[in-house]
Amino acid sequence: MKSTEIYQAKREIINYAKKLTLGMSKPTTNFVMDMLYGLAKGRSPLLAEISRALNEDITLLGTLKRLSRNATNFHDYAKLDQNYLAAVQPQLKDDMLVIVDNSDITKPYGEKLEALGRVHDGSKCVTEKGYLTTNITVATSKTKQPLPLYSHLFSAEETDFISTNVETYRGLNRVDQLFGDKKYTVVMDRGYDANDIINFLMQKQTDFIMRLTDKRWVHYQDKAYKVPELAQRRKGKIAFDSQIKGKDYHLKISHIKVTLPAFKGRAFFMVVVYGYGEKPMKLLTNKVITSKADVLRIVKSYLTRWRIEELFRVQKQEYHLEKIRTLSLNSLQLIHRLITYLLGHHAIKIEAGLSFNEILYRKAQCLRQAVRFKFYRYIRGLAAILKFDVSGIRHFKCIEQRHAPRQLCLAI
């Protein structure tokens, strides 16, 4: 392994850590630097693995205790989030897709974890012990990589917990402030099909595309229909070929102008997509549809939502997020956020198309050459290079050396 490649990989992480900790104390900066480097090299949320990745001169137990203590006592989230958003702000363009979704971190064998609650495990369709996460990302302009904007781990067992919707509103308010005068479209799965969510977005005059549940009623030509009943009246006049999760689909699409009982006088469009699954996929949007191109743009925008699903998979497969075992809820939230912000760094670098990226992709040694989602290659390539680093990052830290105390001498 070339020493220049190792140095460049380390420098990427160190410079990013300094951006995230701008305005923080030196001990906090060094701690975040340790955590990001350990996560990138060890690809594990376990503090023991992060400690091993640092290769410090002191004992492993000493490093582990220091990281555990700092993670438990970390409360500089406001500055950390502010610095991260400043780093991603240049990536935000007009008319971007903002993807919103919840995920879960299951801990079926956890007993002593703080505020451990019950969550729905989407992969197994069962209720299990664990935590929920609210996540909001944008799809980058060129490569459509998911760039996280908001990510928060929480539990219904917390004393200040109100509801999952409130967590979503907090994230959407942050996104609204971040975009400012720029327009964006919120894309949501059917788990967000609720009048409260729609009302929140309508009050902010935000465009949205939302997948409908079969329980919802809509009005069409002054008659009330359940969504599946109205969808069956349209067989799809627009043909569209697409690839979803690596599988090719031949879709048929129709659109219908509808109203909702809770929003009288407000016009919406229901887009019906046949060919993906046994039942047609039903989408609701407040965007105006005047042509075939508008319909296809809405369908393509919703299909981009699968990018956030890939982001969750990367968190759990590449960084093994569900193996996290710290007892403190604050430590859990910090490690989850640092992993998310590390993925934000990767998304920005992938979008930039730097020459160093090609070196990382080659080091990953993946079988397939042509891929759209490059997170896996970037993460594995970065870890493969850092694996050969034996000096750690202590030379990058600003550690003041104390001088030996001087003895007081009195003239006699």
Side-chain angles (χ1 to χ4, degrees), residues 318-374:
E318 297 302 314
Y319 288 115
H320 309 284
L321 185 58
E322 288 188 319
K323 289 185 178 181
I324 190 169
R325 288 202 290 267
T326 56
L327 298 180
S328 166
L329 178 61
N330 190 71
S331 299
L332 290 168
Q333 291 172 333
L334 176 64
I335 295 173
H336 170 260
R337 194 165 303 192
L338 289 178
I339 289 176
T340 303
Y341 288 173
L342 191 59
L343 291 172
H345 164 269
H346 299 343
I348 293 173
K349 295 302 179 181
I350 293 172
E351 178 74 3
L354 304 176
S355 58
F356 185 62
N357 294 358
E358 299 300 325
I359 298 175
L360 296 179
Y361 300 154
R362 289 197 301 270
K363 299 297 182 182
Q365 297 180 348
C366 295
L367 298 178
R368 295 179 59 186
Q369 295 300 320
V371 293
R372 295 181 181 179
F373 197 80
K374 298 182 179 179

Side-chain angles (χ1 to χ4, degrees), residues 216-363:
R216 178 171 284 281
W217 289 81
V218 296
H219 287 173
Y220 173 65
Q221 294 182 348
D222 297 327
K223 292 183 180 180
Y225 297 91
K226 262 198 168 181
V227 165
E229 181 185 358
L230 183 59
Q232 290 176 359
R233 294 170 172 261
R234 295 290 188 275
K235 297 304 179 184
K237 294 183 179 180
I238 302 175
F240 175 59
D241 293 326
S242 179
Q243 188 178 78
I244 307 172
K245 291 185 176 182
K247 186 177 180 180
D248 295 325
Y249 290 90
H250 181 67
L251 307 177
K252 294 286 188 177
I253 308 169
S254 289
H255 67 284
I256 313 165
K257 191 173 184 179
V258 299
T259 57
L260 302 181
F263 302 91
K264 295 181 180 179
R266 297 288 187 94
F268 300 88
F269 280 92
M270 187 175 84
V271 179
V272 185
V273 183
Y274 289 89
Y276 180 71
E278 296 180 0
K279 296 181 180 180
M281 182 169 61
K282 286 81 66 177
L283 307 177
L284 182 74
T285 182
N286 60 345
K287 296 173 75 70
V288 178
I289 296 179
T290 58
S291 64
K292 172 183 175 181
D294 292 336
V295 179
L296 292 177
R297 191 176 298 112
I298 288 170
V299 175
K300 291 177 182 178
S301 298
Y302 181 79
L303 295 181
T304 306
R305 195 198 69 81
W306 295 114
R307 289 297 191 179
I308 198 171
E309 299 284 354
E310 288 287 354
L311 187 70
F312 299 153
R313 186 179 298 179
V314 167
Q315 288 177 333
K316 295 178 180 180
Q317 289 188 354
E318 297 302 314
Y319 288 115
H320 309 284
L321 185 58
E322 288 188 319
K323 289 185 178 181
I324 190 169
R325 288 202 290 267
T326 56
L327 298 180
S328 166
L329 178 61
N330 190 71
S331 299
L332 290 168
Q333 291 172 333
L334 176 64
I335 295 173
H336 170 260
R337 194 165 303 192
L338 289 178
I339 289 176
T340 303
Y341 288 173
L342 191 59
L343 291 172
H345 164 269
H346 299 343
I348 293 173
K349 295 302 179 181
I350 293 172
E351 178 74 3
L354 304 176
S355 58
F356 185 62
N357 294 358
E358 299 300 325
I359 298 175
L360 296 179
Y361 300 154
R362 289 197 301 270
K363 299 297 182 182

Side-chain angles (χ1 to χ4, degrees), residues 89-156:
Q89 181 114 38
Q91 303 295 321
L92 302 183
K93 311 297 181 184
D94 206 18
D95 200 24
M96 295 188 80
L97 298 176
V98 175
I99 308 168
V100 183
D101 203 358
N102 283 347
S103 183
D104 57 84
I105 298 175
T106 58
K107 303 297 295 181
Y109 305 108
E111 297 292 341
K112 302 296 183 179
L113 298 177
E114 184 181 356
L116 190 63
R118 304 291 299 185
V119 299
H120 177 72
D121 187 349
S123 60
K124 299 179 181 178
C125 295
V126 296
T127 302
E128 193 57 85
K129 289 185 289 186
Y131 301 92
L132 285 172
T133 64
T134 294
N135 308 272
I136 301 179
T137 72
V138 293
T140 56
S141 300
K142 294 185 295 184
T143 59
K144 301 302 179 185
Q145 303 299 312
L147 176 62
L149 297 183
Y150 180 83
S151 185
H152 180 60
L153 181 147
F154 63 94
S155 169

Side-chain angles (χ1 to χ4, degrees), residues 69 211 223 386 401:
R69 181 180 65 253
R211 189 169 179 177
K223 292 183 180 180
L386 293 177
Q401 299 294 332

